[in-house]
């Protein structure tokens, strides 16, 4: 081999992840973030235990193919409402992002919320940022093993409770709890509880910022919803540069303490400008404000601002004046129209559904007295929460009548297939197909009424 030949260089395409230990920070935005943590978790953990009309208020019963939402019962035929709700939520996210950037990510996203909870546990068991860094560098001792074991056990308990609660939205949570208590949990429930527990434990305990940086698609397409008037966490470079000691009059206000980096959950330096890794949590704002207070400088070196506001040195009132602009007005109008349409459709929705299916085995037959008989199956769905007695009638052909019992009892949030025979005098209908209409009306509520067209066959 030629000794003068150049050596091959090894290029690593993937850098090993360095653990990020965010420093604990206090301030108005930290308080707001923890308020969101408490509110979202009270909602998530509490809703499955709320009852209405004798059943779970929020239950996505996939086995029975029914969704219970605070007294509203949705069936597979009502999937359009769930699709509409998801579209409304997406447009609401677009509107909020256009106005205030990634505030959803910074305050209410489940990844952020559970990372905050897991970090709180980590701090209480392993100590502050410096103590955790020292613990990482220490050899494995009895104390280190004990602390790490305690931390992971606490994480595991939170993750298991989260997985149990999540499955409780799809299986009645009280029955699920009783099954767990008596060690009678079914295989599918066991799988999904463990699956979502593992997902919570892995995402919030181990991957953390990697979920936001590499796995979440929102971080990648958020820039399409930003403009120069979108509120983002910004560093005022004109005021802060050049960096230096607090007592150096020739320097800017930034004393280069690096606290804004130490508190960042994704480990970025906001002073380098807007980055897709920034989740808009404003932890750096709280940290910088506390430093500015100590060095007798005005707060706001790092703050929520817009690109136009930084360039033009706008005041807060000038920033607010740009909230209403073509993009946000467009998002707002579309959102208002969709929400109005959805609300109107739900308000006008009749909690009774009827499908009429003819008996394909018999096209029509002649019975006693020269009358013609057709057999149907009525698929009735009572999507309300109350029980009702429903009367079945037919119209469209003279002398048409229901032969069987024409009153059907149907419990709330249930469905029933009802066989029905309809007879018509031979002279009242012509040979072939005749239009017929079925109507079903609640005996105790005439407004609860639905009709469905069918065909009556008279054989040759």
């Amino acid at each position: 081999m030629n000794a003068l030949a150049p050596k091959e260089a090894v290029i690593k395409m993937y850098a090993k992840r360095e653990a990020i230990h965010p420093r604990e920070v206090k301030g108005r935005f930290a308080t707001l973030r923890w308020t969101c943590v408490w509110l979202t978790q009270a909602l998530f953990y509490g809703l499955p235990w709320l009852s209405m009309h004798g059943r779970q208020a929020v239950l996505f019963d996939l086995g029975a193919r029914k969704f219970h939402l605070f007294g509203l019962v949705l069936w597979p035929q009502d999937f359009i409402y769930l699709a509409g709700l998801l579209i409304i939520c997406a447009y609401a996210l677009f509107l909020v992002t256009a106005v205030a950037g990634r505030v959803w990510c910074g305050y209410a996203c489940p990844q952020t919320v559970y990372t905050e909870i897991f970090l709180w546990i980590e701090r209480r068991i392993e100590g502050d940022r410096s103590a955790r860094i020292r613990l990482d560098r220490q050899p494995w001792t009895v104390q280190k093993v004990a602390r790490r074991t305690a931390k992971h056990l606490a994480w595991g308990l939170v993750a298991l409770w989260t997985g149990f609660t999540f499955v409780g939205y799809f299986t009645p949570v009280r029955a699920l709890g009783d099954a767990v208590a008596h060690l009678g949990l079914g295989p599918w429930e066991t799988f999904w509880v463990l699956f979502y527990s593992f997902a919570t434990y892995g995402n919030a305990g181990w991957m953390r910022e990697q979920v936001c940086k590499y796995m979440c698609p929102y971080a990648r397409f958020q820039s399409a919803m930003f403009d120069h008037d979108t509120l983002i966490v910004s560093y005022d470079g004109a005021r802060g540069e050049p960096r230096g000691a607090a007592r150096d009059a020739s320097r800017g206000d930034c004393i280069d303490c690096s606290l804004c980096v130490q508190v960042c959950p994704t480990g970025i330096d906001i002073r380098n400008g807007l980055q897709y890794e920034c989740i808009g949590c404003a932890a750096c704002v709280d940290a910088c404000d506390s430093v500015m207070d100590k060095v007798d400088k005005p707060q706001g070196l790092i703050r929520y601002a817009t690109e136009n506001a930084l360039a033009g040195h706008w005041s807060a009132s000038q920033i607010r004046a740009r909230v209403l602009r073509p993009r946000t007005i467009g998002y707002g109008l579309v959102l208002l129209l969709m929400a109005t349409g959805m609300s109107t459709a739900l308000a006008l929705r009749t909690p009774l559904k009827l499908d009429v299916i003819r008996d394909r085995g018999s096209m029509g037959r002649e019975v006693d007295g020269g009358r013609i008989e057709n057999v149907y199956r009525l698929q009735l769905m009572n999507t309300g929460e109350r029980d009702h007695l429903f009367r079945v009638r037919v119209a469209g052909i003279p002398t048409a009548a229901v032969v069987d019992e024409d009153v059907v009892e149907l419990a709330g949030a249930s469905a029933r297939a009802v066989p029905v025979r309809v007879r018509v005098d031979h002279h009242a209908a012509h040979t072939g197909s005749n239009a017929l209409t079925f109507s079903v009306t609640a005996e105790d509520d005439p407004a609860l009424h639905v009709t469905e067209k069918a065909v009556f066959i008279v054989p040759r």
Side-chain angles (χ1 to χ4, degrees), residues 88-144:
I88 289 173
C89 290
Y91 260 90
L93 183 61
F94 294 165
L95 175 60
V96 170
T97 302
V99 173
R102 294 180 66 180
V103 290
W104 160 261
C105 296
Y107 297 92
C109 174
Q111 178 65 23
T112 298
V113 167
Y114 286 105
T115 297
E116 285 286 340
I117 294 172
F118 277 45
L119 275 173
W120 182 86
I121 294 172
E122 188 174 76
R123 292 183 184 116
R124 295 302 170 272
I125 295 175
E126 294 186 353
D128 60 14
R129 180 175 184 269
S130 300
R132 298 199 304 276
I133 293 175
R134 288 196 303 270
L135 190 65
D136 279 351
R137 295 171 178 170
Q138 289 174 3
W140 286 96
T141 62
V142 174
Q143 182 186 22
K144 182 173 180 177

Side-chain angles (χ1 to χ4, degrees), residues 9-31:
V10 178
I11 300 176
K12 295 182 179 181
M13 303 299 293
Y14 177 77
K16 182 180 179 181
R17 172 184 179 250
E18 295 184 6
I20 297 176
H21 295 290
R23 180 188 292 270
E24 187 173 15
V25 62
K26 298 184 184 299
R28 50 180 176 160
F29 294 110
T31 300

Side-chain angles (χ1 to χ4, degrees), residues 163-164 167 170-171 176 179 184-195:
F164 169 84
V167 175
F170 299 89
T171 298
L176 189 67
L185 202 61
W188 279 113
E189 286 87 353
T190 301
F191 170 79
W192 288 114
V193 167
L194 293 178
F195 177 85

